[in-house]
């Protein structure tokens, strides 16, 4: 179960696709909170907080993503994860990515620096005192920056149902991998905030130990100027899981609720 919760936290940080906006989809100060349910358990929560900073004298956005188990679920296992990304305000390219996790005693402490002049990324494993180099291109994204890049760089008004978005992503020592997100159309969801029209997607995941099939996961994002994640549902090898938007603050644009 610990692996299931952790994987879902990663997906919440990574996937938030959108249509290309004639005005920005986000601004510094944006804060999102998600509640994750596994069966009847209110298993964990995740937050994303966006600020504006400078890194090596370059203006950047800085996002911190945190995920923790809570309540009854924390008696059986503890997850305490922190992810950070520093990325360019203009083109969304990541400069630095940090991943610090503690999952029931399993820990990682890595940092990735992206060097576009040399077309490489340097991954430092602070826990084990090791370093790895990876070849990258100018379209690379990390786990966090990908969310904000997608919210600003795809025109889904021209998409047809079944078409996919593909990204090169690097966030661990497994190396660069192809992230794929298939567009399924529009759907209205009932949420704690009211009814919300959403764009519906299917991230392709690896089937087997955690997920039943390659297409076991579904994501909904708000069909407004913000394009924020509203819900994730997963059919697992054992049981099912759902994550819902639980709170928000500092949105750039009005959160569109359908009034009856």
């Amino acid at each position: 179960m610990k692996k299931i919760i952790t994987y879902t936290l990663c997906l919440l940080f990574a996937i938030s696709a959108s249509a290309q906006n004639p005005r920005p989809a986000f601004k510094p100060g944006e804060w999102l909170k998600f509640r994750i349910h596994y069966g009847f358990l209110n298993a964990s929560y995740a937050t994303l907080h966006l600020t504006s900073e400078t890194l090596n004298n370059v203006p950047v956005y800085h996002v911190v993503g945190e995920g923790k188990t809570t309540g009854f679920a924390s008696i059986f296992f503890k997850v305490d994860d922190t992810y950070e990304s520093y990325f360019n305000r203009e083109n969304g390219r990541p400069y630095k990515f940090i991943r610090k996790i503690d999952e029931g005693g399993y820990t990682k402490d890595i940092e990735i620096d992206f060097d576009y002049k040399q077309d490489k990324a340097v991954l430092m494993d602070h826990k084990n005192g090791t370093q790895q180099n990876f070849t990258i291109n100018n379209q690379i994204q990390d786990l966090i920056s990908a969310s904000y890049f997608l919210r600003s760089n795809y025109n889904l008004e021209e998409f047809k149902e079944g078409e996919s978005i593909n990204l090169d992503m690097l966030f661990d020592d497994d190396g660069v991998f192809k992230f794929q997100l298939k567009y399924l159309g529009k759907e209205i969801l009932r949420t704690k905030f009211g009814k919300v029209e959403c764009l519906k997607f299917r991230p392709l995941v690896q089937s087997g130990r955690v997920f039943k099939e390659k297409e076991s996961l579904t994501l909904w994002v708000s069909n407004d100027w913000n394009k924020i994640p509203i819900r994730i549902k997963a059919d697992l090898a054992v049981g099912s899981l759902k994550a819902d938007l639980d709170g928000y603050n500092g949105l750039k644009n009005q959160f569109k609720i359908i009034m009856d």
Side-chain angles (χ1 to χ4, degrees):
M1 183 174 173
K2 179 186 72 177
K3 291 182 179 295
I4 294 168
I5 298 300
T6 302
Y7 196 93
T8 304
L9 293 175
C10 290
L11 287 167
L12 276 171
F13 295 154
I15 48 185
S16 173
S18 77
Q20 187 173 6
N21 293 330
R23 55 186 177 187
F26 51 82
K27 66 177 181 178
E30 181 186 85
W31 176 85
L32 305 173
K33 180 180 179 181
F34 305 90
R35 184 69 65 181
I36 302 173
H37 303 266
Y38 179 74
F40 68 90
L41 291 177
N42 187 16
S44 62
Y45 69 86
T47 59
L48 285 167
H49 186 207
L50 173 72
T51 59
S52 182
E53 298 184 16
T54 58
L55 181 68
N56 299 324
N57 297 318
V58 176
V60 296
Y61 287 121
H62 178 206
V63 180
V64 178
E66 296 181 312
K68 300 177 185 290
T69 48
T70 185
F72 188 68
S74 63
I75 297 174
F76 299 99
F77 58 93
K78 288 185 180 293
V79 172
D80 188 354
D81 293 354
T82 299
Y83 296 81
E84 298 183 56
S85 178
Y86 299 81
F87 58 91
N88 189 285
R89 293 186 196 175
E90 299 298 324
N91 57 33
R93 292 179 188 167
Y95 291 127
K96 183 185 291 290
F97 174 75
I98 297 169
R99 183 185 182 196
K100 295 183 179 181
I101 64 172
D102 186 345
E103 299 164 358
Y106 173 75
T107 62
K108 273 197 172 188
D109 185 357
I110 64 172
E111 180 178 322
I112 303 175
D113 290 314
F114 297 85
D115 186 340
Y116 299 99
K117 291 183 179 179
Q118 299 188 48
D119 296 325
K120 73 174 184 179
V122 179
L123 184 150
M124 291 162 284
D125 186 331
H126 297 301
K127 176 184 175 181
N128 297 310
T130 59
Q131 179 177 306
Q132 290 179 267
N133 295 337
F134 297 97
T135 300
I136 62 170
N137 56 45
N138 288 337
Q139 302 304 312
I140 195 74
Q141 293 290 322
D142 66 44
L143 187 66
I144 300 291
S145 66
S147 170
Y148 297 86
F149 179 79
L150 288 168
R151 288 171 69 182
S152 303
N153 287 276
Y154 285 89
N155 186 2
L156 290 180
E157 297 304 321
E158 300 176 357
F159 266 51
K160 295 180 181 179
E161 292 184 19
E163 287 192 282
S164 297
I165 297 169
N166 298 279
L167 280 181
D168 288 337
M169 195 179 294
L170 174 64
F171 69 94
D172 208 345
D173 53 13
D174 293 332
V176 178
F177 75 99
K178 298 289 185 180
F179 176 74
Q180 188 176 69
L181 200 63
K182 185 164 69 174
Y183 178 56
L184 302 182
K186 298 177 182 179
E187 186 175 335
I188 294 176
L189 294 185
R190 291 187 179 273
T191 75
K192 65 176 289 185
F193 310 104
K195 292 194 292 186
V196 180
E197 183 177 79
C198 296
L199 301 173
K200 186 177 180 181
F201 298 90
R202 183 144 294 156
L204 299 186
V205 296
Q206 185 175 2
S207 61
R209 203 165 146 191
V210 175
F211 297 99
K212 282 184 179 179
E213 300 175 358
K214 191 177 181 181
E215 297 191 358
S216 292
L217 230 156
T218 308
L219 164 74
W220 292 262
V221 301
S222 62
N223 188 21
D224 56 19
W225 295 116
N226 299 297
K227 300 299 186 294
I228 55 176
I230 300 298
R231 177 171 296 166
I232 289 179
K233 289 184 71 175
D235 294 321
L236 308 173
V238 179
S240 62
L241 181 145
K242 184 173 75 167
D244 286 309
L245 180 69
D246 191 62
Y248 62 89
N249 198 5
L251 298 182
K252 172 68 175 178
N253 306 289
Q254 182 179 1
F255 184 24
K256 190 177 293 185
I257 306 296
I258 298 174
M259 306 301 293
D260 291 324

